Amino acid sequence: DGGITQSPKYLFRKEGQNVTLSCEQNLNHDAMYWYRQDPGQGLRLIYYSQIVNDFQKGDIAEGYSVSREKKESFPLTVTSAQKNPTAFYLCASSPTGGVRETQYFGPGTRLLVL
Amino acid sequence: AQSVAQPEDQVNVAEGNPLTVKCTYSVSGNPYLFWYVQYPNRGLQFLLKYITGDNLVKGSYGFEAEFNKSQTSFHLKKPSALVSDSALYFCAVRYSSASKIIFGSGTRLSIRP
C-alpha cells in the first residue's frame, strides 16, 4: 500500500448526500484509477485518468464523478444518484497508462449507507 | 469477448503442501497477466506479472505462475504453503488492444495448520 493513501478508512453516507473519497499518491505516477469492490464480483472500474486534467469513464461511472487537477490527487465523489453505494472503494496508480504497467493500490475506503 | 476466469471460489490446502490457484483468460490478442493478493480490509498487493519471454514467472513471497498459451491459463503456484498465505487472490488480464485491466472474481485461499 505504500505510496498511495486513501481517506477516510470508513465513510458513512446519508440519503441524498454527496460524499468525496480522497486518493493521493507520491509515486509520481501519471495514471490513476478508481475501482469498486463488491463481494464475489472482483473489481469494477469506475473512472481512470492517464494525465492531469483528463479522465475517462470506466464500466460503472453512473452516479460517480472525479477530477484530476493535480498529478498526485484523484478524488472520487459518490453522488446521490448512486443508489447502491455500499462497497469497498480502491484507488490505484501506475507509472503511465500503458498496457504493460503494473497498477499499485491504496488501502481502500469502505463506504456505508446510514 | 475479453475476459478472465477464476474457476474456484475457494481453495483449501494444508500447511507445507503445494498450492495452485487457477486462472484462465480468453483469447483476444496479446494478453498481459497479473496476480494480486488481498488481505482483509486492505488494498491489493502486486505479486507477479507475465508480459513476454519466459513462461515461468517468479514473484513475491515465493509465488510463481506459468503462462500456458495452448491452455490459455496462468495458474499461481507455491511449492510449500504457509498459514500466512491465507488471503483473497485475484488474477487480472490486460490486452494489447484494450485500455483497461480486467479482474477475475477472486479465489479465497485457506491454509490450515
Side-chain angles (χ1 to χ4, degrees), chain B residues 18-72:
Chain B
L19 69 87
T20 298
V21 183
K22 295 180 180 178
C23 173
T24 59
Y25 62 92
S26 63
V27 178
S28 178
N30 292 324
Y32 303 111
L33 295 147
F34 304 80
W35 275 104
Y36 287 86
V37 60
Q38 185 180 35
Y39 296 97
N41 294 311
R42 301 290 299 276
L44 275 65
Q45 294 180 30
F46 170 71
L47 284 177
L48 51 81
K49 69 180 179 182
Y50 171 81
I51 300 298
T52 187
D54 195 349
N55 289 343
L56 183 63
V57 180
K58 294 187 182 296
S60 306
Y61 312 119
F63 285 96
E64 60 186 31
E66 185 170 10
F67 174 67
N68 188 319
K69 189 173 182 178
S70 62
Q71 297 185 6
T72 63

Side-chain angles (χ1 to χ4, degrees), chain A residues 6 21 29 31 36 46 51-52 89 102-103:
Chain A
Q6 291 186 242
L21 285 61
H29 285 175
R36 169 176 171 145
I46 304 172
I51 197 167
V52 175
Y89 290 86
T102 299
Q103 293 183 15

